[in-house]
Amino acid sequence: MLYLYLKALHIIFVTSWFAGLFYLPRIFVNLAMAAPGAETDRLLLMAGKLFRFMTPLAVLALAFGLWLWLGFGIGGGWLHAKLSLVALLVAYHGYCGRLLARFRAGRNAKSHVWYRFFNEIPVLILFAVVILVVVKPF
Ligand code: HEM
């Protein structure tokens, strides 16, 4: 029973974290197109608040995942493959923080098209991870 509640919490925090992982790079697309001024300031405020909110959600999602894994003797190839993808996702999250810092410093060097492609990376990771945990193909 505890296991199922922990899994439910894991899924809730993963979903909430992903809301940010999907939306923050969308704000970057708009920031990359905006001229300096009021619009940029508002977008920077939105991005900053979102990123600050996303980080504790990521920590909770990972903490419940680790509890499920280490507390209940779960294992298998699918889990190792999933953990590699989770490591990529954490790197993506950290890189978003660096990109945000560059926008704040007025030093963004990437185009809105680049951010549109960058925005798709969490979608691909989500597809792969959900298939791995549900199907457990190996
Ligand atoms: C440190 C990171 C993580 C660890 C150690 C971890 C571990 C686990 C474990 C052990 C389970 C239970 C599997 C089962 O009962 O069959 C689980 C379930 C799940 N995890 Fe994670 N997880 C982590 C991060 C993530 C992330 C980032 C995502 C999304 C991209 C995710 C998505 C899911 C989903 C959707 C389930 C439910 C699968 C089901 O219905 O059985 N996890 N996780």
Side-chain angles (χ1 to χ4, degrees):
M1 196 65 159
L2 172 66
Y3 182 77
L4 292 179
Y5 276 106
L6 294 177
K7 190 147 87 170
L9 286 166
H10 179 54
I11 295 169
I12 290 164
F13 289 118
V14 163
T15 313
S16 314
W17 179 24
F18 264 89
L21 288 171
F22 287 153
Y23 193 48
L24 184 63
R26 264 313 303 177
I27 300 179
F28 290 165
V29 169
N30 289 281
L31 270 168
M33 292 192 300
E39 191 189 352
T40 296
D41 292 348
R42 194 170 56 249
L43 289 167
L44 278 177
L45 194 74
M46 286 167 65
K49 283 187 177 169
L50 182 60
F51 189 67
R52 212 176 330 130
F53 201 59
M54 277 163 66
T55 304
L57 292 171
V59 170
L60 286 166
L62 298 178
F64 281 105
L66 287 171
W67 192 350
L68 288 169
W69 172 30
L70 302 171
F72 296 86
I74 309 277
W78 64 273
L79 185 67
H80 292 112
K82 171 184 169 170
L83 290 176
S84 312
L85 292 170
V86 172
L88 277 181
L89 203 61
V90 170
Y92 183 91
H93 181 113
Y95 188 53
C96 282
R98 279 185 54 188
L99 291 169
L100 177 60
R102 281 191 209 154
F103 273 116
R104 280 192 173 128
R107 288 195 296 107
N108 170 52
K110 299 186 187 331
S111 71
H112 69 95
V113 177
W114 188 89
Y115 286 106
R116 283 173 204 274
F117 281 104
F118 180 69
N119 196 196
E120 301 308 324
I121 294 172
V123 181
L124 301 177
I125 295 180
L126 183 64
F127 263 84
V129 169
V130 172
I131 290 169
L132 280 170
V133 289
V134 173
V135 180
K136 297 187 177 60
F138 46 84

